[in-house]
Amino acid sequence: MSIEQITTEDLRKMKGKDGLILQGCGGDLREWQRGINKMLTEAGILLEGTNFDHIFTFEHDGVTCLLFPFEEEVKLSIGRLAVWRIQTHDTFYGKWLSDFVPNYLGGFTKEQAPEKPDCALIGRNGNIFNLLGIASRTLREHGQGDQAEEMKKRILGSGSYEEALNIMGEYVNITDSRTEKDHSQPSHRSRR
């Protein structure tokens, strides 16, 4: 289980996503995570033995809040969760992310993702750390240092080589290094 610290600006960038926000969560946040997972399981809301293994914490108006994101791997009875949220509102001040951001933070941002730069990785030494270094350098050269750091963290936390490559492909356009060399070499034609 993990809890990631984010800002309200990060919340504003979560357009198209949803989740349950609980407000006023003081004390040990891991205890909150375990307790809410247990309550939702006992209420028949969390299904098939799933839990909110990765949640977010943020501060709003001097209050610690938790976001339990609705992700594909978390199986939920949304109807039961909606009733639970209403029944426990006086205790947890539960809000949906899709309501919280427009009503308390001024809405979701219309931030456009930076353009993915081309990065010649095919044909290079396939060691994941080598590829990560090349992709990170490419992002930094294109003024995307924050994306380079984000990509690095995600790749180092990934579970497989394939997953790491997929993450890399979210940040850079993976191209063939041999093609790059072919274009950079002058053409030598013999005349007869």
Side-chain angles (χ1 to χ4, degrees):
M1 287 203 206
S2 66
I3 302 172
E4 184 179 340
Q5 178 78 41
I6 60 173
T7 66
T8 53
E9 277 307 304
D10 294 325
L11 284 177
R12 295 187 69 220
K13 295 174 185 174
M14 293 183 178
K15 186 172 184 156
K17 297 183 181 180
D18 216 339
L20 174 66
I21 293 177
L22 303 182
Q23 303 176 70
C25 304
D28 182 354
L29 297 181
R30 293 211 184 279
E31 189 63 33
W32 274 92
Q33 185 177 23
R34 283 189 295 271
I36 295 298
N37 275 320
K38 183 179 178 190
M39 287 176 76
L40 296 179
T41 298
E42 290 172 354
I45 295 166
L46 281 169
L47 307 172
E48 301 175 24
T50 61
N51 282 303
F52 287 102
D53 291 327
H54 181 76
I55 65 172
F56 300 96
T57 181
F58 63 94
E59 298 290 322
H60 180 257
D61 283 344
V63 174
T64 300
C65 302
L66 293 175
L67 168 60
F68 293 81
F70 299 162
E71 296 173 335
E72 194 173 310
E73 61 271 6
V74 179
K75 307 297 183 210
L76 292 167
S77 169
I78 292 292
R80 287 183 182 168
L81 181 58
V83 171
W84 181 88
R85 184 184 67 85
I86 293 167
Q87 290 173 338
T88 61
H89 188 267
D90 290 344
T91 305
F92 301 122
Y93 305 100
K95 303 279 185 204
W96 302 127
L97 172 65
S98 56
D99 290 333
F100 187 88
V101 172
N103 291 315
Y104 294 95
L105 304 178
F108 291 98
T109 57
K110 293 180 175 121
E111 180 179 313
Q112 291 190 348
E115 190 172 319
K116 294 193 312 186
D118 289 342
C119 183
L121 296 178
I122 299 170
R124 300 283 179 107
N125 172 340
N127 178 292
I128 197 65
F129 296 106
N130 180 55
L131 298 177
L132 175 58
I134 295 167
S136 294
R137 185 171 45 255
T138 299
L139 287 168
R140 284 188 179 83
E141 288 170 355
H142 287 83
Q144 298 179 28
D146 290 344
Q147 287 82 356
E149 283 304 309
E150 179 181 291
M151 178 187 68
K152 181 176 120 183
K153 285 179 188 173
R154 288 183 62 202
I155 287 173
L156 294 177
S158 67
S160 70
Y161 185 81
E162 290 79 17
E163 183 182 353
L165 288 177
N166 286 334
I167 292 169
M168 215 172 287
E170 292 176 26
Y171 293 85
V172 297
N173 291 318
I174 298 174
T175 62
D176 192 334
S177 64
R178 293 172 297 225
T179 304
E180 185 180 82
K181 288 178 187 173
D182 292 345
H183 291 304
S184 64
Q185 298 294 327
S187 174
H188 298 289
R189 294 185 185 157
S190 59
R191 293 185 182 185
R192 294 191 178 213

